[in-house]
């Protein structure tokens, strides 16, 4: 909650009303990104399972049993998981920046190209994951 310091009661009420309208009544559809534990929930239910799926796929492909590089399997898993967590954190921070909590009507919103860029990244990740999953399930 914001703190308003004012000596004039009418100014205080006007500022309070504007803040309540901005923060509580006009929530955007993407405001869940800024809620508590949104990062953690996204990590546990989206980011980590997706990363583990791809790490497993590439680990089996590049370091299969019987290959001369099989001993690098554990190191690949550890470093890939760490790199995946860093990429998730960067993308989540970028998501929060591209979709701010509120935008003042006086300011020009220039984040649309970043939103389109994020949409392309998410669409690419979903497409690649769906293709790989269908390929794995069907056995082609």
């Amino acid at each position: 909650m914001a703190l308003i310091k004012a000596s004039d009661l009418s100014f205080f009420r006007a500022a309070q009303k504007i803040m309540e309208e901005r923060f509580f009544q006009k929530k955007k559809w993407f405001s869940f990104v800024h809620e508590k534990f949104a990062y953690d929930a996204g990590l546990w239910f989206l980011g980590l399972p997706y990363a583990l799926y791809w790490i497993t796929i590439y680990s089996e492909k590049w370091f299969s049993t019987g290959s001369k590089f099989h001993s690098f399997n554990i190191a690949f898993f550890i470093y890939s998981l760490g790199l995946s967590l860093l990429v998730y954190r960067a993308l989540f921070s970028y998501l929060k920046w591209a979709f701010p909590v509120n935008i003042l009507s006086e300011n020009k919103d220039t984040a649309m190209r970043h939103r389109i860029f994020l949409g392309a990244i998410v669409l690419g990740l979903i497409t690649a994951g769906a293709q790989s999953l269908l390929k794995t399930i069907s056995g082609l």
Side-chain angles (χ1 to χ4, degrees):
M1 186 53 115
L3 178 66
I4 304 171
K5 290 186 178 183
S7 58
D8 184 17
L9 185 61
S10 60
F11 175 77
F12 175 79
R13 293 286 182 217
Q16 184 181 30
K17 183 180 178 208
I18 290 171
M19 289 179 65
E20 285 177 357
E21 286 177 4
R22 283 285 179 199
F23 290 124
F24 301 116
Q25 295 175 355
K26 295 182 179 181
K27 283 194 169 188
K28 302 285 186 188
W29 64 269
F30 51 80
S31 63
F32 69 92
V33 173
H34 299 280
E35 296 293 328
K36 294 178 183 176
F37 302 111
Y39 175 85
D40 299 324
L43 177 65
W44 284 104
F45 296 115
L46 295 173
L48 200 58
Y50 191 80
L52 289 173
Y53 174 76
W54 281 110
I55 291 169
T56 303
I57 295 293
Y58 282 110
S59 177
E60 290 174 1
K61 184 176 182 180
W62 294 338
F63 306 107
S64 61
T65 306
S67 103
K68 63 180 181 177
F69 299 113
H70 181 66
S71 60
F72 293 110
N73 194 11
I74 295 173
F76 174 76
F77 182 83
I78 292 170
Y79 281 106
S80 297
L81 189 59
L83 185 62
S84 299
L85 293 175
L86 289 174
V87 168
Y88 174 78
R89 182 176 181 177
L91 281 176
F92 193 82
S93 297
Y94 187 51
L95 176 74
K96 287 178 77 170
W97 177 82
F99 292 98
V101 175
N102 57 7
I103 301 166
L104 297 176
S105 57
E106 298 86 32
N107 293 351
K108 290 188 169 61
D109 184 17
T110 59
M112 185 55 72
R113 65 175 165 230
H114 297 286
R115 293 174 186 166
I116 292 170
F117 181 67
L118 269 172
I121 290 173
V122 169
L123 186 63
L125 290 172
I126 290 170
T127 304
Q131 283 178 345
S132 177
L133 194 61
L134 288 173
K135 188 176 178 183
T136 302
I137 290 172
S138 68
L140 297 175

